[in-house]
Amino acid sequence: MERGMNHRIHYPFANFADTVAVLPASDTMRKIPDNPESDRDADGPLISYFELARVMERASRRFSGLLRTELSKIGVDDIGPAQAMVLLAIGEAELSVGELLDRGYYMGSNISYYLKQLGDGDYIDRIASQRDKRSARIRLSEKGRKLCASLREAAKSYERALTHGEQDRRNLETAFQTLHRLELVWGNAARYGI
């Protein structure tokens, strides 16, 4: 990406008036004009959300590779990054499969497979419902809690590498808020149209 390229993203159906731009610590913030349409040609092309989705997909794959490396370091070879993310999504809660689907946005068939692997590996406990014996609630077993604690501890070293000061921590928070907002906008646009 060229220096000086406009880092704004154009969404005709969303109002991002209060969104903050996330820039590397070495960049300086430029004032975005009130009328972005008039500034488009002067600063270069806007980043399309297809390009943004591609970067997010690559970042997700890189994170999965990092998670796979961390699992190998701690001697876990019976589950992969996707199953580890399910464990982290469960956390300290006791959830139904439906609640887990809502929390992690997994596909129904995938979550059944993941839960079977996690159960076979003794990472989760299934507790039968008192009212309906066909349904169950899921919580981490002791083995699952230990694995999550190890992964969270490993994440701290990466967080320290990424955040060298208060501004970096604020940038990380802003990135999270921006991605969460995109998730909501794109989800609503897919469901209800633009």
Side-chain angles (χ1 to χ4, degrees), residues 150-173:
S150 296
L151 291 174
R152 285 189 189 99
E153 191 59 37
K156 287 179 184 177
S157 63
Y158 295 109
E159 289 170 13
R160 283 190 295 273
L162 279 171
T163 55
H164 297 292
E166 188 58 34
Q167 183 61 43
D168 286 341
R169 281 188 279 282
R170 283 194 303 269
N171 286 347
L172 193 58
E173 177 66 26

Short mmCIF file of all heavy atoms in Angstrom, two decimals, residues 150-173:
data_model
loop_
_atom_site.label_atom_id
_atom_site.label_comp_id
_atom_site.label_asym_id
_atom_site.label_seq_id
_atom_site.Cartn_x
_atom_site.Cartn_y
_atom_site.Cartn_z
N SER A 150 -3.31 -21.78 29.33
CA SER A 150 -2.01 -21.80 28.63
C SER A 150 -2.06 -20.92 27.39
O SER A 150 -1.11 -20.19 27.10
CB SER A 150 -1.64 -23.22 28.23
OG SER A 150 -1.44 -24.03 29.35
N LEU A 151 -3.15 -20.99 26.64
CA LEU A 151 -3.28 -20.17 25.43
C LEU A 151 -3.37 -18.69 25.77
O LEU A 151 -2.79 -17.85 25.07
CB LEU A 151 -4.48 -20.62 24.60
CG LEU A 151 -4.36 -22.00 23.95
CD1 LEU A 151 -5.67 -22.40 23.29
CD2 LEU A 151 -3.21 -22.04 22.96
N ARG A 152 -4.08 -18.35 26.83
CA ARG A 152 -4.19 -16.95 27.24
C ARG A 152 -2.82 -16.42 27.70
O ARG A 152 -2.47 -15.27 27.45
CB ARG A 152 -5.22 -16.79 28.35
CG ARG A 152 -6.64 -16.87 27.84
CD ARG A 152 -7.65 -16.50 28.92
NE ARG A 152 -8.98 -16.80 28.47
CZ ARG A 152 -9.66 -17.89 28.78
NH1 ARG A 152 -9.14 -18.80 29.58
NH2 ARG A 152 -10.87 -18.08 28.31
N GLU A 153 -2.06 -17.26 28.38
CA GLU A 153 -0.72 -16.86 28.82
C GLU A 153 0.18 -16.62 27.62
O GLU A 153 0.93 -15.63 27.58
CB GLU A 153 -0.13 -17.93 29.75
CG GLU A 153 1.12 -17.51 30.47
CD GLU A 153 0.92 -16.29 31.35
OE1 GLU A 153 -0.14 -16.14 31.98
OE2 GLU A 153 1.86 -15.46 31.40
N ALA A 154 0.11 -17.50 26.63
CA ALA A 154 0.90 -17.31 25.41
C ALA A 154 0.48 -16.03 24.69
O ALA A 154 1.33 -15.32 24.14
CB ALA A 154 0.74 -18.52 24.48
N ALA A 155 -0.80 -15.72 24.71
CA ALA A 155 -1.31 -14.52 24.04
C ALA A 155 -0.73 -13.25 24.67
O ALA A 155 -0.54 -12.25 23.97
CB ALA A 155 -2.83 -14.49 24.08
N LYS A 156 -0.44 -13.30 25.95
CA LYS A 156 0.11 -12.11 26.63
C LYS A 156 1.44 -11.69 26.01
O LYS A 156 1.72 -10.50 25.88
CB LYS A 156 0.28 -12.37 28.12
CG LYS A 156 -1.03 -12.40 28.87
CD LYS A 156 -0.80 -12.67 30.34
CE LYS A 156 -2.13 -12.79 31.07
NZ LYS A 156 -1.95 -13.13 32.49
N SER A 157 2.27 -12.65 25.62
CA SER A 157 3.55 -12.29 25.02
C SER A 157 3.34 -11.62 23.66
O SER A 157 4.06 -10.69 23.30
CB SER A 157 4.47 -13.51 24.89
OG SER A 157 3.91 -14.46 24.01
N TYR A 158 2.35 -12.06 22.90
CA TYR A 158 2.06 -11.42 21.62
C TYR A 158 1.46 -10.03 21.83
O TYR A 158 1.74 -9.11 21.08
CB TYR A 158 1.13 -12.28 20.77
CG TYR A 158 1.78 -13.58 20.38
CD1 TYR A 158 1.38 -14.78 20.94
CD2 TYR A 158 2.83 -13.59 19.47
CE1 TYR A 158 2.01 -15.97 20.59
CE2 TYR A 158 3.46 -14.77 19.12
CZ TYR A 158 3.04 -15.96 19.68
OH TYR A 158 3.67 -17.13 19.35
N GLU A 159 0.64 -9.90 22.86
CA GLU A 159 0.07 -8.59 23.19
C GLU A 159 1.18 -7.61 23.57
O GLU A 159 1.15 -6.45 23.16
CB GLU A 159 -0.95 -8.72 24.31
CG GLU A 159 -2.22 -9.40 23.89
CD GLU A 159 -3.14 -9.74 25.05
OE1 GLU A 159 -2.91 -9.25 26.18
OE2 GLU A 159 -4.07 -10.53 24.84
N ARG A 160 2.16 -8.10 24.32
CA ARG A 160 3.28 -7.22 24.70
C ARG A 160 4.07 -6.80 23.46
O ARG A 160 4.54 -5.67 23.37
CB ARG A 160 4.19 -7.91 25.72
CG ARG A 160 3.62 -7.92 27.13
CD ARG A 160 4.65 -8.38 28.15
NE ARG A 160 5.05 -9.76 27.98
CZ ARG A 160 4.42 -10.81 28.52
NH1 ARG A 160 3.36 -10.62 29.27
NH2 ARG A 160 4.85 -12.02 28.32
N ALA A 161 4.21 -7.70 22.49
CA ALA A 161 4.93 -7.37 21.26
C ALA A 161 4.17 -6.35 20.42
O ALA A 161 4.76 -5.53 19.73
CB ALA A 161 5.19 -8.64 20.45
N LEU A 162 2.84 -6.41 20.48
CA LEU A 162 2.01 -5.50 19.68
C LEU A 162 1.79 -4.15 20.35
O LEU A 162 1.58 -3.16 19.67
CB LEU A 162 0.64 -6.13 19.43
CG LEU A 162 0.55 -7.13 18.30
CD1 LEU A 162 -0.81 -7.82 18.33
CD2 LEU A 162 0.78 -6.46 16.96
N THR A 163 1.78 -4.13 21.65
CA THR A 163 1.44 -2.89 22.36
C THR A 163 2.62 -2.40 23.17
O THR A 163 2.98 -3.01 24.18
CB THR A 163 0.22 -3.09 23.27
OG1 THR A 163 0.47 -4.17 24.16
CG2 THR A 163 -1.03 -3.39 22.48
N HIS A 164 3.22 -1.30 22.71
CA HIS A 164 4.38 -0.73 23.39
C HIS A 164 4.02 0.49 24.23
O HIS A 164 4.88 1.11 24.81
CB HIS A 164 5.45 -0.36 22.37
CG HIS A 164 5.97 -1.54 21.63
ND1 HIS A 164 6.73 -2.52 22.23
CD2 HIS A 164 5.82 -1.91 20.34
CE1 HIS A 164 7.04 -3.44 21.34
NE2 HIS A 164 6.50 -3.10 20.19
N GLY A 165 2.76 0.82 24.26
CA GLY A 165 2.36 1.99 25.04
C GLY A 165 0.86 2.16 25.00
O GLY A 165 0.13 1.36 24.40
N GLU A 166 0.42 3.20 25.64
CA GLU A 166 -1.02 3.46 25.74
C GLU A 166 -1.66 3.67 24.37
O GLU A 166 -2.77 3.21 24.11
CB GLU A 166 -1.27 4.67 26.64
CG GLU A 166 -2.73 4.90 26.96
CD GLU A 166 -3.39 3.71 27.64
OE1 GLU A 166 -2.75 2.99 28.42
OE2 GLU A 166 -4.59 3.49 27.36
N GLN A 167 -0.97 4.36 23.46
CA GLN A 167 -1.52 4.61 22.13
C GLN A 167 -1.73 3.29 21.37
O GLN A 167 -2.76 3.12 20.72
CB GLN A 167 -0.60 5.53 21.31
CG GLN A 167 -1.15 5.87 19.94
CD GLN A 167 -2.48 6.61 20.00
OE1 GLN A 167 -2.65 7.51 20.81
NE2 GLN A 167 -3.43 6.23 19.17
N ASP A 168 -0.80 2.35 21.47
CA ASP A 168 -0.96 1.06 20.81
C ASP A 168 -2.15 0.30 21.39
O ASP A 168 -2.89 -0.36 20.67
CB ASP A 168 0.30 0.21 20.95
CG ASP A 168 1.43 0.69 20.07
OD1 ASP A 168 1.16 1.43 19.09
OD2 ASP A 168 2.59 0.34 20.35
N ARG A 169 -2.34 0.39 22.71
CA ARG A 169 -3.50 -0.27 23.34
C ARG A 169 -4.81 0.36 22.86
O ARG A 169 -5.78 -0.33 22.59
CB ARG A 169 -3.40 -0.21 24.86
CG ARG A 169 -2.44 -1.25 25.43
CD ARG A 169 -2.50 -1.29 26.95
NE ARG A 169 -1.71 -0.24 27.56
CZ ARG A 169 -0.39 -0.28 27.69
NH1 ARG A 169 0.28 -1.31 27.26
NH2 ARG A 169 0.25 0.71 28.26
N ARG A 170 -4.81 1.68 22.73
CA ARG A 170 -6.00 2.36 22.21
C ARG A 170 -6.25 1.98 20.75
O ARG A 170 -7.39 1.79 20.34
CB ARG A 170 -5.87 3.88 22.36
CG ARG A 170 -6.11 4.37 23.78
CD ARG A 170 -6.30 5.87 23.85
NE ARG A 170 -5.19 6.63 23.30
CZ ARG A 170 -4.15 7.07 24.00
NH1 ARG A 170 -4.09 6.84 25.30
NH2 ARG A 170 -3.19 7.75 23.43
N ASN A 171 -5.18 1.87 19.97
CA ASN A 171 -5.32 1.46 18.57
C ASN A 171 -5.91 0.05 18.46
O ASN A 171 -6.75 -0.21 17.60
CB ASN A 171 -3.98 1.51 17.84
CG ASN A 171 -3.53 2.91 17.53
OD1 ASN A 171 -4.31 3.86 17.63
ND2 ASN A 171 -2.27 3.06 17.18
N LEU A 172 -5.47 -0.85 19.34
CA LEU A 172 -6.00 -2.21 19.34
C LEU A 172 -7.49 -2.21 19.69
O LEU A 172 -8.30 -2.89 19.06
CB LEU A 172 -5.20 -3.08 20.31
CG LEU A 172 -5.40 -4.58 20.22
CD1 LEU A 172 -5.09 -5.11 18.83
CD2 LEU A 172 -4.54 -5.27 21.26
N GLU A 173 -7.85 -1.42 20.69
CA GLU A 173 -9.26 -1.30 21.08
C GLU A 173 -10.09 -0.71 19.93
O GLU A 173 -11.19 -1.18 19.64
CB GLU A 173 -9.38 -0.43 22.33
CG GLU A 173 -10.80 -0.18 22.79
CD GLU A 173 -11.51 -1.44 23.27
OE1 GLU A 173 -10.85 -2.39 23.72
OE2 GLU A 173 -12.75 -1.45 23.20
#
